[in-house]
Amino acid sequence: MPGERLAVRDTSEVGRFPGAAPPTKVELTIHNEEEKKQEEGGCRRWFRKMCPCCCKRQNSTSNDVTDKVEYVKPPEPANSSDTDTYLNFMLNIPLSEIKLSVCSVDLLSSKMGQNRQEHHTDLYQGDELIIRRGQTFQIELELNRPFNADNDKLHLDLRTGPLPMVSKGTHVIVPLVDHLEDERWEAKIVEKNVNKIKLSVNSPASAVIGLYGVTVTTSSSKDEAATTHNSSKNIVMLFNPWCEEDVVFLDDEEERKEYVLNDIGRIYYGTEKQIGARTWNFGQFHEGILEACLFILEKSDMPPSGRGDPVNVVRVISAMINAQDDFGVLVGNWSGDYSDGVSPSAWSSSVEILRKYLSSNGTPVSYGQCWVFSGITTTVLRCLGIPARSVTNFQSAHDTDVSLTTDVYFDENMKLIDYLNSDSVWNFHVWNDCWMARPDLPPGLGGWQAVDSTPQETSQGTFRCGPASVNAIRSGQVYLKHDTPFVFAEVNSDKIYWQRKLDGTFCQIQSEKKAVGHCISTKAVGSDERADITHLYKHQEGSEEERIAVETASRYGSKPDVYSSAMAEDVCVEVKMEGEGPMMGADAQLSILVKNLSSQPRRTTLHSQVAVMYYTGVPFSVPLHHTEKTIEWVLPYQQYQNQLVDQAALMLTLSGRVSETQQVLANQTSFRLRTPDLNITPLGDAFVGKEMAAKITFTNPLPRMLKGVVFRVEGLGLQKGHEVVVGDVGGHSTVTLTEHFIPTQPGPRKLVASLDCKQLTQVHGVADIVVLETLLKGYFNH
């Protein structure tokens, strides 16, 4: 009833505290709806603060009658540390009889917090707890009462995958211990604050990577049913190159910064004599990329229990980056027709591709070629914590019959037999190196491992390649897994020329021992310079060690007797070019150098053929009365202008026979027609949060109109990737556009642009922009 009061004298707690106050008068007032706005009692406020789980505030919109407890003056403990006794006094319930439960879980996942900083994951976007295995992390629990180590029990449950199992390592039970030990899941209380405790949690360096749900289980006695609390946030576990026990451990801080933390790199292309470089935004920390990488793992058929082994993970990533047989990320296309997608040469970033794949729930993105597959692979591996880099091999062989040689077939008249020439040598090919120990191989074969996501040949029924030990490749140990023979042939196979005889059989007429695997390149650590790593893949060309490796490998191939006989040769032919080579839109001019190594005169007739455009030159006779002779070879622009695709690359094949000795001459040389750069000029200084601009200029090098020109512009920390439709650009015309954007992150940044046009490819540019923090923050507020 309104205003009705009932005085209650409670004598049960007299003398409980030293110096306790006399019995307290407690007034219980039952209020009606009109009195609900009165102030809440101090006792209940204190109790709610001490035990928020058990004493929740009533909803102000409730229509229920509210019972409100008011007190005259509560006693205060003489000793402030005697909180448990005070709580018992207030509740008149022994502390041990209050069932322990968790009110909330704080994963301490802030980007600037201790966990993310110590685990080197502070660059990832988002507020999930992103950690690396083999390293402790901390979480904070809020309980409904103080934790009593003598009676209370607590453990964590971490689960990953659709069907977590303890036996598979996908359901982890983390016990509470007094002392943490390495290489096991354990948790220890490191801090107490009334009803809050902070746990230090340790994980083994072999833990399964991926997304974990977190549950806290508590109980107070053996007979009591346990209570559970599910965290609203998840834990993402990654590989740990900073942990010595992790098989991906990399013992060099500068290399870890480059191969794990650097989100921008360089990818090389062209030919060995015309090496081009383009900037690539790996963007492994960009918003949505970690989610996309985990999505790729989920979409693969690899069970979650296999995600603790980086060999398995890399092998799956190699398959999932291409869409050839598993609806992976990217569709390969070498046809020259990209009308229903994006031209491979127009991409300059992994970010847009991976985000598009994620947002479409796994619809493959169109289109890519080797450097795009490699760029995405670098992004995914670095994002998951595996050190990785993009690697370009010039004069890269594609062995289709496991002969470990690159075979070229001619007919009786020294004309190429196209249908037999399935082996090929690409002017360049891009794959990846990743770093890990290889406990599954003999000692000494850890370190860099080659992995290739470009769909070329199947491996165990799937288009993938690697990881293959680079040390094994170097020594010719092609019998070791995975796919070592294929990579060996790419970098160190001999090119064998065969001629068909009148009876239909073939005989070996020449071999080139230095035709494959040149200038193997990757971005240098800490700079934009090119690092040549050929020595990691093969011994010095022509050395005894290199020849032993080649002949050792060939014994495991489909033509083990190819090196059974040697042939005498006293005439050789090679092709040279002046400077950086011919320019797109101009006549292509090369020099053919024929050398006579004997003391007798020689005469040969050479045939020339250019691949891509199927242009066959007129045979020319070369008398060799002297040591050497140079012939100028010219391919007019009018004869190649409508034939080129993608790389603007040409393959010149020379073949002939020496009249006096019947020695066969054969040579294949690739070259590319150089394309112009996009010139990017920043306008003004760059500050975080302040608009700036950059000017992009392009000049059409061709005497013909370019149709449907599109620019693609992106800069990590500067602006999101987007397209700028330019339209048609006349012959030798210049286009200038100005980009306006607001930098969001300080430090050195790169603005990257590329041109997308069917008639002209591999046109791109980059500008280095140093973004400063906004000057004099708050100065203008005075």
Side-chain angles (χ1 to χ4, degrees):
M1 293 181 293
E4 183 176 0
R5 294 179 182 272
L6 175 65
V8 181
R9 182 178 294 275
D10 185 350
T11 60
S12 61
E13 300 297 331
V14 175
R16 189 161 207 168
F17 293 105
T24 304
K25 179 181 179 182
V26 179
E27 293 185 344
L28 176 63
T29 305
I30 301 176
H31 298 269
N32 60 14
E33 286 292 308
E34 296 175 356
E35 296 173 305
K36 283 172 63 177
K37 296 183 181 179
Q38 294 184 18
E39 183 177 358
E40 180 182 53
C43 176
R44 190 173 181 85
R45 286 199 306 273
W46 178 88
F47 184 43
R48 178 178 293 110
K49 182 177 180 181
M50 292 300 297
C51 190
C53 303
C54 300
C55 191
K56 298 181 179 179
R57 184 180 296 275
Q58 291 280 353
N59 191 319
S60 61
T61 62
S62 173
N63 294 323
D64 296 339
V65 175
T66 302
D67 290 350
K68 184 172 183 180
V69 177
E70 296 178 344
Y71 64 92
V72 176
K73 183 180 180 182
E76 296 181 1
N79 186 343
S80 60
S81 65
D82 201 359
T83 309
D84 293 353
T85 311
Y86 186 46
L87 182 62
N88 282 341
F89 168 75
M90 297 304 299
L91 299 177
N92 196 21
I93 302 174
L95 185 64
S96 60
E97 294 183 13
I98 301 177
K99 189 173 183 178
L100 181 67
S101 62
V102 177
C103 303
S104 64
V105 178
D106 186 352
L107 296 182
L108 306 177
S109 58
S110 168
K111 290 174 61 176
M112 303 309 296
Q114 179 181 348
N115 281 335
R116 298 276 295 269
Q117 293 283 326
E118 290 182 351
H119 285 251
H120 306 279
T121 59
D122 52 299
L123 295 175
Y124 290 89
Q125 299 299 311
D127 288 327
E128 295 285 344
L129 177 56
I130 306 168
I131 56 174
R132 300 187 187 275
R133 64 185 192 176
Q135 189 173 339
T136 58
F137 62 95
Q138 296 185 334
I139 65 173
E140 192 172 82
L141 307 179
E142 184 177 4
L143 308 173
N144 64 328
R145 60 167 173 81
F147 184 83
N148 185 336
D150 294 331
N151 300 315
D152 295 333
K153 305 296 181 185
L154 182 150
H155 72 264
L156 307 178
D157 289 277
L158 275 62
R159 296 178 174 88
T160 185
L163 188 63
M165 299 176 63
V166 173
S167 61
K168 299 292 187 181
T170 52
H171 175 192
V172 179
I173 300 174
V174 186
L176 205 58
V177 298
D178 294 329
H179 302 285
L180 295 178
E181 297 184 19
D182 292 338
E183 285 303 294
R184 61 180 62 184
W185 283 102
E186 292 176 332
K188 175 187 176 182
I189 297 176
V190 293
E191 188 177 310
K192 287 185 179 181
N193 183 12
V194 190
N195 61 325
K196 288 186 177 182
I197 59 173
K198 181 178 286 187
L199 302 180
S200 181
V201 184
N202 192 45
S203 67
S206 58
V208 169
I209 68 156
L211 189 70
Y212 285 84
V214 182
T215 300
V216 185
T217 302
T218 57
S219 62
S220 300
S221 66
K222 292 183 178 179
D223 300 329
E224 181 184 87
T227 61
T228 60
H229 180 93
N230 296 322
S231 171
S232 60
K233 287 187 177 181
N234 297 314
I235 291 176
V236 179
M237 181 75 74
L238 305 176
F239 291 106
N240 194 350
W242 284 265
C243 174
E244 291 187 18
E245 288 74 31
D246 198 318
V247 291
V248 302
F249 172 66
L250 182 59
D251 189 20
D252 186 298
E253 180 59 23
E254 292 306 309
E255 290 188 349
R256 288 193 293 255
K257 289 179 181 177
E258 180 67 48
Y259 300 132
V260 182
L261 300 180
N262 195 355
D263 58 0
I264 300 176
R266 304 270 276 177
I267 296 179
Y268 298 92
Y269 66 97
T271 69
E272 58 181 305
K273 297 178 181 178
Q274 301 165 286
I275 297 178
R278 63 181 304 161
T279 299
W280 192 270
N281 286 336
F282 297 123
Q284 66 266 34
F285 306 118
H286 200 282
E287 183 180 358
I289 298 305
L290 177 56
E291 184 182 357
C293 294
L294 296 177
F295 173 73
I296 291 170
L297 289 180
E298 292 290 339
K299 201 170 184 294
S300 73
D301 58 1
M302 178 176 62
S305 58
R307 297 177 193 164
D309 183 356
V311 174
N312 288 341
V313 171
V314 165
R315 196 148 170 77
V316 165
I317 293 301
S318 170
M320 287 298 299
I321 297 304
N322 70 74
Q324 194 78 5
D325 45 24
D326 48 18
F327 296 98
V329 176
L330 193 65
V331 180
N333 187 342
W334 287 265
S335 70
D337 180 9
Y338 314 115
S339 56
D340 57 344
V342 175
S343 168
S345 63
W347 300 113
S348 58
S349 169
S350 306
V351 174
E352 183 180 353
I353 297 171
L354 287 169
R355 292 182 67 176
K356 184 178 293 188
Y357 184 69
L358 175 64
S359 64
S360 66
N361 197 34
T363 300
V365 179
S366 301
Y367 289 107
Q369 290 181 10
C370 63
W371 67 93
V372 189
F373 288 111
S374 173
I376 298 173
T377 302
T378 298
T379 298
V380 174
L381 295 183
R382 289 185 183 181
C383 186
L384 296 177
I386 300 176
R389 62 190 183 188
S390 291
V391 172
T392 302
N393 177 38
F394 293 95
Q395 294 298 100
S396 187
H398 181 177
D399 177 24
T400 59
D401 59 1
V402 202
S403 65
L404 301 180
T405 57
T406 302
D407 301 300
V408 182
Y409 293 92
F410 292 93
D411 64 13
E412 299 85 348
N413 299 315
M414 291 303 295
K415 302 293 184 181
L416 288 170
I417 306 175
D418 292 334
Y419 71 90
L420 289 180
N421 289 321
S422 56
D423 286 357
S424 59
V425 178
W426 299 9
N427 54 322
F428 75 95
H429 181 52
V430 189
W431 63 72
N432 294 85
D433 281 347
C434 59
W435 181 274
M436 66 183 70
R438 288 297 298 269
D440 59 322
L441 298 181
L445 298 177
W448 289 115
Q449 313 289 314
V451 55
D452 194 346
S453 299
T454 300
Q456 298 179 86
E457 300 292 329
T458 59
S459 172
Q460 296 177 317
T462 302
F463 281 95
R464 58 186 168 187
C465 181
S469 167
V470 172
N471 287 336
I473 295 165
R474 188 171 190 257
S475 59
Q477 295 175 276
V478 297
Y479 46 84
L480 297 173
K481 58 183 182 182
H482 293 280
D483 307 311
T484 308
F486 185 80
V487 184
F488 177 88
E490 287 183 302
V491 300
N492 207 12
S493 59
D494 286 351
K495 182 181 283 189
I496 308 294
Y497 294 88
W498 304 84
Q499 185 179 19
R500 185 170 60 197
K501 297 189 294 185
L502 294 176
D503 62 1
T505 62
F506 285 86
C507 64
Q508 182 179 339
I509 57 175
Q510 185 180 338
S511 65
E512 283 188 79
K513 297 178 173 60
K514 301 180 181 180
V516 165
H518 299 163
C519 303
I520 303 177
S521 304
T522 190
K523 177 185 173 298
V525 174
S527 78
D528 284 339
E529 298 300 313
R530 182 182 70 88
D532 192 306
I533 58 171
T534 308
H535 63 284
L536 298 181
Y537 274 87
K538 57 199 296 188
H539 294 283
Q540 183 176 354
E541 201 76 73
S543 67
E544 185 176 2
E545 295 92 339
E546 188 263 346
R547 285 290 91 197
I548 291 174
V550 171
E551 295 184 22
T552 298
S554 72
R555 288 201 294 269
Y556 295 91
S558 60
K559 298 176 181 176
D561 300 324
V562 71
Y563 293 101
S564 58
S565 61
M567 294 172 291
E569 300 175 350
D570 59 13
V571 176
C572 63
V573 60
E574 61 179 291
V575 178
K576 293 187 175 183
M577 68 180 65
E578 188 175 337
E580 295 182 349
M583 188 76 182
M584 173 69 80
D587 294 348
Q589 184 168 337
L590 303 175
S591 297
I592 300 172
L593 181 64
V594 186
K595 294 183 180 180
N596 180 6
L597 304 179
S598 74
S599 59
Q600 301 297 318
R602 296 286 185 259
R603 173 181 292 275
T604 182
T605 299
L606 290 177
H607 302 263
S608 67
Q609 179 175 327
V610 178
V612 178
M613 60 170 296
Y614 308 109
Y615 166 80
T616 302
V618 177
F620 46 92
S621 178
V622 185
L624 294 173
H625 298 291
H626 306 288
T627 304
E628 62 183 46
K629 186 168 185 177
T630 300
I631 306 104
E632 298 301 325
W633 180 89
V634 177
L635 177 65
Y637 167 72
Q638 289 75 15
Q639 294 188 8
Y640 72 73
Q641 62 178 335
N642 296 320
Q643 307 296 330
L644 293 177
V645 293
D646 298 332
Q647 300 301 314
L650 301 168
M651 171 72 80
L652 173 63
T653 299
L654 297 174
S655 61
R657 188 183 297 275
V658 179
S659 302
E660 290 79 4
T661 63
Q662 298 303 301
Q663 175 193 341
V664 174
L665 300 178
N667 177 281
Q668 288 186 317
T669 301
S670 63
F671 62 97
R672 71 181 179 95
L673 302 167
R674 291 185 296 117
T675 52
D677 294 327
L678 293 181
N679 295 314
I680 307 177
T681 306
L683 304 177
D685 296 327
F687 296 96
V688 173
K690 181 182 177 182
E691 183 177 302
M692 67 169 299
K695 184 173 67 174
I696 302 176
T697 304
F698 163 71
T699 299
N700 179 6
L702 304 182
R704 59 191 295 189
M705 178 177 290
L706 300 178
K707 294 185 176 296
V709 173
V710 175
F711 286 178
R712 305 177 73 89
V713 186
E714 181 180 15
L716 297 180
L718 298 174
Q719 68 168 348
K720 293 182 179 180
H722 66 284
E723 294 183 351
V724 179
V725 178
V726 175
D728 297 343
V729 178
H732 299 302
S733 298
T734 298
V735 174
T736 300
L737 65 90
T738 302
E739 281 283 296
H740 296 270
F741 51 92
I742 301 176
T744 58
Q745 297 179 22
R749 299 286 155 190
K750 292 182 184 290
L751 185 66
V752 181
S754 61
L755 179 142
D756 189 355
C757 173
K758 185 175 182 179
Q759 300 106 313
L760 191 63
T761 62
Q762 289 291 13
V763 178
H764 45 79
V766 60
D768 292 303
I769 299 176
V770 178
V771 181
L772 305 175
E773 293 280 9
T774 303
L775 287 176
L776 301 176
K777 291 181 180 178
Y779 176 83
F780 296 104
N781 295 331
H782 294 291

